[in-house]
Amino acid sequence: MARRMLVAGATLYLGTAGSAYIYFKSRHGSDTTTGTDEGCGAVNLEQAVQRIAFEYDQQIWLDEMLMGLGIVRWWICRDLKGKVLEVSCGTGRNLQHYSKDAAVTATDLSESMLAIARAKVKVIDASVDFKQMNAETLDFPDNTFDAVVDTFGMCSVQNPEKVLREMQRVCKEDGKIVLLEHGSGHYEFINNLLDDGAHKHASRWGCYWNRDIGAAVDASGLDVVSLQRLHFGTTYIYKARPGQTTQSTPETR
C-alpha cells in the first residue's frame, strides 16, 4: 500500500510538473519569429540579463516551485566540498544549498545579478567570494577548483562550448563538474513550442531556451559520468569530469 501511494504521488507530481512546464513555457514566450539562436548577436543577451535582474526572482519563483527545481538545486549542490566555483551564478539561487564544507566562489557577468546574490548571502549567513567575470574567459589558473557548477547559464552565454571548456580547465583533474540546464527536449511538439518563442524569450530574459545542450557538451569534450533529463527532456542534469584536452592553450584562452 505504501509503495502504491508513493508511486501514485510521484506520478501525480510529475504530471503536475509537466503540465506546469508546458503552461509556463507558453506564458513566457510565443511568437512567430524563428527560434534558432544562430547569429545570437541579434539579441544582446548581456543587456537583457541586466535589465531583468531586479525582477528575476519574483518572476520565476512560481515556475521553479511547480517544476520542483528548488529540490533539484539542493540535490546537485548539497554534497560538494572543497573549493567550489559557480559560474553564471545569477541572483544566487543555489547559494543556500552548499554545505559548510564548500568554499564557494561565485561569478557572473552581470553586476546587477551579483548585487542581489551578495544581499542574499548576508541573510543566509554564508561566506561566498563574488567576482564579476565572463564565463567564457575565466580568470583562474588551471586545476584550481574541486568542483565547478553551472545552473541555467548555458542559455545566456554567447558560446556554450567555450564556457564548458573553461569550466573544465579550471577544475582539478579529479574534480567534479555539475550542470543543471534547459534546452531542446525529447519531443517535436515541445521543441516547436520552444523554437516559436525563442527570439521573444531571449529578448525578454537574455536566454535562448531551445539550445541543443547535449551537442554543446559533446563538442566541449566533457567526460560525462551521468545524465538525467526531466520535464519532457528539456531539463538536463549532468554530473561529469574534465575531459583529457582541457589544459590552457593560446587557442582556448
Side-chain angles (χ1 to χ4, degrees):
M1 179 64 70
R3 184 176 180 179
R4 289 181 179 178
M5 292 179 64
L6 181 61
V7 171
T11 302
L12 178 61
Y13 170 77
L14 291 173
T16 302
S19 299
Y21 178 82
I22 294 175
Y23 168 74
F24 284 111
K25 288 298 185 186
S26 302
R27 181 170 67 90
H28 281 318
S30 181
D31 60 18
T32 58
T33 308
T34 180
T36 66
D37 68 336
E38 295 177 1
C40 62
V43 174
N44 190 314
L45 300 177
E46 181 181 351
Q47 286 185 2
V49 169
Q50 283 282 96
R51 186 173 60 247
I52 58 92
F54 292 101
E55 60 179 289
Y56 182 79
D57 284 337
Q58 182 180 2
Q59 291 289 330
I60 72 163
W61 74 269
L62 181 59
D63 302 44
E64 289 212 353
M65 182 187 71
L66 291 175
M67 293 169 66
L69 292 177
I71 296 174
V72 178
R73 289 179 184 274
W74 165 80
W75 182 68
I76 66 173
C77 295
R78 73 194 193 286
D79 60 352
L80 298 179
K81 299 178 181 179
K83 296 179 67 175
V84 177
L85 172 66
E86 182 176 333
V87 303
S88 301
C89 72
T91 62
R93 297 183 70 83
N94 296 326
L95 298 179
Q96 63 181 313
H97 301 307
Y98 291 108
S99 75
K100 297 298 183 181
D101 296 322
V104 179
T105 299
T107 71
D108 201 281
L109 188 58
S110 168
E111 182 56 41
S112 297
M113 289 283 191
L114 286 175
I116 298 169
R118 289 189 182 100
K120 288 182 179 179
V121 163
K122 294 179 181 179
V123 174
I124 64 177
D125 192 28
S127 177
V128 179
D129 183 18
F130 291 101
K131 296 182 183 294
Q132 185 178 14
M133 193 177 298
N134 190 330
E136 296 181 16
T137 53
L138 295 171
D139 190 18
F140 301 108
D142 296 358
N143 305 313
T144 298
F145 296 95
D146 298 292
V148 185
V149 179
D150 178 73
T151 62
F152 302 118
M154 295 302 154
C155 59
S156 297
V157 297
Q158 295 292 339
N159 190 330
E161 180 184 338
K162 189 173 182 180
V163 172
L164 289 167
R165 289 186 180 277
E166 279 290 86
M167 292 174 67
Q168 294 174 78
R169 180 185 64 78
V170 302
C171 187
K172 294 178 181 178
E173 292 182 3
D174 60 349
K176 300 177 180 179
I177 295 177
V178 181
L179 305 173
L180 171 60
E181 309 293 345
H182 60 181
S184 57
H186 291 315
Y187 305 107
E188 184 177 359
F189 82 98
I190 289 290
N191 293 333
N192 289 340
L193 178 65
L194 297 178
D195 288 345
D196 288 345
H199 185 81
K200 180 178 179 180
H201 187 81
S203 300
R204 172 73 175 88
W205 294 91
C207 157
Y208 277 102
W209 60 6
N210 62 335
R211 284 181 167 168
D212 188 338
I213 300 300
V217 167
D218 291 344
S220 74
L222 194 67
D223 182 7
V224 175
V225 175
S226 66
L227 167 62
Q228 293 177 277
R229 294 178 68 175
L230 310 174
H231 309 124
F232 305 100
T234 61
T235 299
Y236 299 67
I237 307 171
Y238 281 96
K239 292 189 176 181
R241 295 183 293 254
Q244 298 301 309
T245 58
T246 56
Q247 189 172 8
S248 179
T249 67
E251 290 76 20
T252 58
R253 291 308 315 277

